[in-house]
Amino acid sequence: MANHTQFGFQDASSPIMEELIEFHDHALMVALAICSLVLYLLTLMLMEKLSSNTVDAQEVELVWTILPAIVLIMLALPSLQILYMMDEIDEPDLTLKAIGHQWYWTYEYTDFKDLTFDSYMLPSTELPLGHFRLLEVDHRIVVPMESPIRIIVTADDVLHSWAIPSLGVKTDAIPGRLNQTSFVTTRPGIFYGQCSEICGANHSFMPIVVESAPLTYFENWSTLLSS
Amino acid sequence: QSFKLLGFLDVQSVPCARESVLYGSLGSLVVGLGHFLATSRVRRSCDFAVGGFICTMLGYWFYCRYNLAQQRIRQRMLQEGMRNRILFEGSYLDPEKKQTGNERSNS
């Protein structure tokens, strides 16, 4: 989860998020180069006398057409690569459904029999010591680590959005529509997210918690919950 | 506390950023000063200094990120190799067993 003064991304917990952070750093470096150039040109312009002597400037026109095109290509190529990478759904080991309601999530593990539960935020009054305010839920989603997981997201009433920043996942939950996304957790842990589409009074109070655990723990948990 | 160049680039936590900016500054100094010493033109030397900064910074950035990407790929291959070795060591799927088996049959 993010700390209270955090401005940048959370640490990546999936390969896609690692790629997104890499691309973000690359884009920022290009932005730094452009900003330095623009700052320098602005300073120059402020020190120059105004004149209207320039009539023909073929060379500079060529330069300031070709250079921005090269910069755009430098940004577009990795961006498109990641975009297509995010759309790959490669034989998931587990499929689960996330259904948004006002104001809680329902999760269905239809690969197993009768594994469905609601996930409500824990109110601050019931929060155990050391747990995170407005982020903890009564029932977490447990997934096996290092396994491709497919999530089918939909909603029951109004628009919601299922998002977990550290996994690089954000998918709109639209009533009457099934949206598909997938992720792979690279390490065991607990990953927090929040509803990301305004959905009413308690929009800020329907968090998402994914617990990534080794396969044996996941099997024990699913057996316990199914029974 | 992180230091953000121009308010947005966190040079301490972004890999290769600090070196890129430092090498860029060095390149800018070398190119700008060199041009001034050769031509004694201040304005044009400043232009070359800024150009040198951008080119050196971006040049080192791409070189460093390419090496970093290669390192990450090698790390992942190593991780997977170690995991496979732990899983398959001694079994019929052990790649080392297959290799020694081939060597024996060849000899």
Side-chain angles (χ1 to χ4, degrees), chain A:
Chain A
M1 55 154 274
N3 60 39
H4 68 293
T5 53
Q6 187 159 343
F7 193 65
F9 289 123
Q10 297 177 32
D11 289 341
S13 307
S14 75
I16 291 288
M17 195 58 200
E18 287 173 12
E19 294 297 322
L20 284 168
I21 292 174
E22 293 263 317
F23 174 68
H24 172 261
D25 294 341
H26 169 71
L28 272 193
M29 188 52 77
V30 172
L32 178 71
I34 294 169
C35 284
S36 313
L37 180 65
V38 169
L39 208 61
Y40 175 68
L41 291 173
L42 265 175
T43 320
L44 270 187
M45 295 301 120
L46 286 171
M47 295 191 312
E48 286 281 336
K49 274 189 291 190
L50 290 172
S51 79
S52 54
N53 287 343
T54 310
V55 175
D56 195 17
Q58 290 292 349
E59 298 85 5
V60 71
E61 296 252 353
L62 197 67
V63 167
W64 70 38
T65 307
I66 297 203
L67 271 186
I70 294 173
V71 168
L72 286 175
I73 290 169
M74 271 172 20
L75 289 174
L77 287 179
S79 170
L80 287 171
Q81 186 193 18
I82 297 174
L83 188 67
Y84 282 94
M85 211 187 291
M86 286 167 82
D87 271 344
E88 285 173 5
I89 310 261
D90 198 18
E91 291 182 17
D93 290 344
L94 179 68
T95 300
L96 65 109
K97 293 190 193 67
I99 303 162
H101 306 268
Q102 282 177 313
W103 288 281
Y104 63 99
W105 294 93
T106 301
Y107 299 107
E108 294 179 8
Y109 286 69
T110 42
D111 292 349
F112 303 88
K113 258 190 188 175
D114 291 331
L115 189 45
T116 303
F117 55 89
D118 295 337
S119 180
Y120 282 85
M121 184 190 83
L122 279 183
S124 305
T125 47
E126 293 173 28
L127 209 57
L129 210 60
H131 283 224
F132 302 119
R133 195 180 72 93
L134 306 184
L135 283 177
E136 298 287 355
V137 295
D138 52 1
H139 298 109
R140 296 171 179 165
I141 316 162
V142 180
V143 296
M145 59 178 264
E146 293 177 347
S147 306
I149 311 289
R150 170 166 50 201
I151 303 246
I152 297 174
V153 183
T154 186
D156 197 34
D157 35 40
V158 298
L159 294 179
H160 300 272
S161 185
W162 197 84
I164 302 189
S166 57
L167 298 177
V169 171
K170 185 179 286 187
T171 308
D172 281 354
I174 300 164
R177 183 184 168 88
L178 299 174
N179 283 331
Q180 182 182 234
T181 189
S182 74
F183 60 86
V184 180
T185 51
T186 48
R187 53 191 170 94
I190 302 171
F191 311 114
Y192 296 92
Q194 290 175 292
C195 179
S196 299
E197 186 67 45
I198 187 77
C199 54
N202 287 346
H203 156 68
S204 313
F205 310 115
M206 47 183 295
I208 299 140
V209 183
V210 172
E211 186 175 334
S212 169
L215 188 59
T216 39
Y217 289 100
F218 170 73
E219 284 170 347
N220 293 341
W221 170 83
S222 60
T223 313
L224 207 69
L225 227 63
S226 300
S227 58

Side-chain angles (χ1 to χ4, degrees), chain B:
Chain B
Q1 275 188 355
S2 58
F3 170 68
K4 289 195 172 76
L5 206 61
L6 289 188
F8 58 80
L9 184 72
D10 188 350
V11 288
Q12 285 173 340
S13 63
V14 174
C16 299
R18 185 176 166 270
E19 290 82 13
S20 296
V21 171
L22 288 174
Y23 277 115
S25 309
L26 184 68
S28 151
L29 207 66
V30 164
V31 170
L33 209 60
H35 188 269
F36 177 70
L37 290 173
T39 61
S40 301
R41 291 172 72 182
V42 177
R43 188 59 66 86
R44 189 47 58 97
S45 301
C46 290
D47 296 343
F48 268 81
V50 169
F53 170 74
I54 292 171
C55 292
T56 319
M57 184 178 71
L58 285 180
Y60 185 80
W61 171 257
F62 284 120
Y63 166 75
C64 187
R65 294 297 273 199
Y66 178 75
N67 287 341
L68 200 73
Q70 280 192 324
Q71 195 185 32
R72 281 175 62 216
I73 291 169
R74 275 198 295 269
Q75 256 175 353
R76 278 188 208 149
M77 283 170 65
L78 192 67
Q79 235 174 357
E80 199 174 325
M82 280 165 67
R83 198 180 312 132
N84 286 343
R85 194 199 162 104
I86 293 166
L87 280 173
F88 301 127
E89 192 174 19
S91 72
Y92 71 97
L93 289 168
D94 189 352
E96 279 182 21
K97 207 176 180 180
K98 278 184 190 169
Q99 214 172 5
T100 46
N102 283 342
E103 281 168 10
R104 275 197 208 125
S105 63
N106 286 342
S107 62

